[in-house]
Amino acid sequence: MLSGFTGWHFVIIAVVVLILFGGATRLPMFAKGLGQSIKIFKKEVDEVRDDSKKSREEPAEPVYYTAEPPKESAPRTPGSTRS
């Protein structure tokens, strides 16, 4: 029954439902919000691409860890407590 429907059919039905129930005044606000969302999404995708390109171009600096024992302020004696 629904095998003849494509993506465009559902888009047209959604627009008709929005016009009927949302009113013609809300449709431009909806379209503006959708456009802004797409614009922000594209901007974020471009930033991620730029970041990944930079990370491939610049080698990472090595991180060196030292294994030094903790320094104690006073010698410990049996039965003493640390504060």
Side-chain angles (χ1 to χ4, degrees):
M1 180 174 168
L2 294 176
S3 63
F5 284 111
T6 62
W8 286 107
H9 289 108
F10 289 113
V11 170
I12 292 171
I13 291 171
V15 169
V16 170
V17 168
L18 282 173
I19 291 173
L20 290 176
F21 294 109
T25 58
R26 292 187 184 176
L27 191 58
M29 291 188 310
F30 173 73
K32 182 179 179 182
L34 183 64
Q36 288 175 344
S37 299
I38 291 172
K39 187 177 183 180
I40 292 170
F41 178 75
K42 286 182 179 180
K43 180 181 174 186
E44 293 295 327
V45 168
D46 289 340
E47 287 179 5
V48 168
R49 285 183 184 160
D50 290 343
D51 288 344
S52 66
K53 187 185 289 185
K54 286 180 184 177
S55 67
R56 280 186 268 144
E57 291 174 356
E58 298 174 1
E61 294 183 19
V63 178
Y64 299 104
Y65 296 101
T66 60
E68 296 178 7
K71 297 179 182 179
E72 295 190 26
S73 59
R76 294 177 58 188
T77 58
S80 66
T81 60
R82 289 182 87 181
S83 51

